[in-house]
Amino acid sequence: QVQLVQSGAEVKKPGASVRVSCKASGYTLTTYSMHWVRQAPGQGLEWMGIINPTDGSTSYAQRFQGRVTMTRDTSTSTVYMDLSSLRSEDTAVYYCARDFAVRGVRNYFDYWGQGTLVTVSS
Amino acid sequence: EIVLTQSPATLSLSPGERATLSCGASQSLRSSYLAWYQQKPGLAPRLLIYDASNRATGIPDRFSGSGSGTDFTLTISGLEPEDFAVYYCQQYANSPWTFGQGTKVEIK
């Protein structure tokens, strides 16, 4: 069965960077694109960007451009999301979410990781 | 950026009742590119509906979606205890893909 297992919670100081990982199992990583979505405490959902694990190409939401980097390691079926210059407003649960389409992109999400809480606090 | 407005913010209903949730878009969504998700506390969202009216795999038929253009509806025909949750709509017609602020369906 498809599973996306994310790394554990992180506590970071303002200005620092964080890396969240998402390990896929139950399917071939390169068959589906992967998105990252975040959710601030008690708030709604916010799309951050997408990575195509086949070639590593990415597309980021404009508000995260310059601060976010998404990469992948096909040998371990893992995708990564790095977010830099953290501020308190970045405190949120970060989810990886698989795109619905096989070898394509539909931009909605059929499988989700369990979420990783990133807390930014001095 | 397309803004999605969900109403009501909270819906208080009893098990067995019909729930009607609305999602309005700030501009018309081409090809009805709208999805619905259910989220329970402490869990990730779960895809219910895509392309406005298609149920995702394993979703019970008491969940149905309708609408086009700027007005969309999620209907739960008879609420089961496990349906009390927060529901989000999401558009994928124009990047960045955006979500509504959610409708909480609570037990009356």
Side-chain angles (χ1 to χ4, degrees):
Chain A
Q1 73 283 21
V2 173
Q3 280 194 299
L4 302 176
V5 178
Q6 299 184 220
S7 49
E10 302 266 10
V11 179
K12 296 293 182 181
K13 294 194 182 303
S17 298
V18 69
R19 165 169 279 200
V20 180
S21 67
C22 170
K23 183 174 177 61
S25 62
Y27 74 100
T28 302
L29 180 71
T30 52
T31 310
Y32 294 83
S33 291
M34 193 75 78
H35 301 258
W36 289 88
V37 176
R38 76 178 186 179
Q39 185 170 36
Q43 302 300 310
L45 300 156
E46 182 175 31
W47 179 76
M48 300 179 68
I50 180 175
I51 180 167
N52 180 341
T54 299
D55 61 7
S57 59
T58 55
S59 177
Y60 305 133
Q62 187 167 13
R63 65 170 300 186
F64 296 104
Q65 289 274 4
R67 285 211 300 144
V68 71
T69 305
M70 296 175 189
T71 56
R72 92 292 189 212
D73 181 343
T74 55
S75 69
T76 60
S77 296
T78 303
V79 296
Y80 300 93
M81 189 282 297
D82 294 308
L83 188 63
S84 63
S85 302
L86 290 168
R87 36 212 189 228
S88 58
E89 310 89 86
D90 294 317
T91 294
V93 175
Y94 289 77
Y95 294 102
C96 57
R98 195 183 80 166
D99 194 277
F100 183 84
V102 179
R103 295 188 185 86
V105 179
R106 291 302 312 276
N107 296 308
Y108 55 94
F109 325 115
D110 59 354
Y111 286 93
W112 296 63
Q114 83 277 19
T116 296
L117 175 61
V118 175
T119 302
V120 183
S121 174
S122 55
Chain B
E1 175 172 316
I2 294 178
V3 176
L4 299 179
T5 302
Q6 292 187 241
S7 61
T10 304
L11 201 50
S12 299
L13 294 168
S14 300
E17 290 193 294
R18 180 186 190 92
T20 303
L21 289 66
S22 295
C23 176
S26 60
Q27 57 185 274
S28 182
L29 303 185
R30 63 183 173 93
S31 303
S32 298
Y33 281 169
L34 187 104
W36 289 93
Y37 300 85
Q38 176 195 69
Q39 188 177 33
K40 296 180 180 179
L43 296 181
R46 172 194 182 197
L47 177 66
L48 299 175
I49 301 286
Y50 62 93
D51 293 346
S53 61
N54 294 311
R55 269 189 302 276
T57 302
I59 301 304
D61 60 7
R62 64 181 181 270
F63 291 92
S64 63
S66 63
S68 63
T70 60
D71 296 307
F72 299 88
T73 300
L74 175 70
T75 301
I76 311 171
S77 60
L79 284 163
E80 297 286 344
E82 62 268 26
D83 298 337
F84 292 91
V86 178
Y87 293 83
Y88 293 96
C89 56
Q90 179 231 336
Q91 67 81 21
Y92 44 99
N94 281 82
S95 182
W97 326 124
T98 52
F99 295 83
Q101 81 279 16
T103 289
K104 181 179 182 179
V105 178
E106 65 176 23
I107 300 176
K108 187 174 181 180

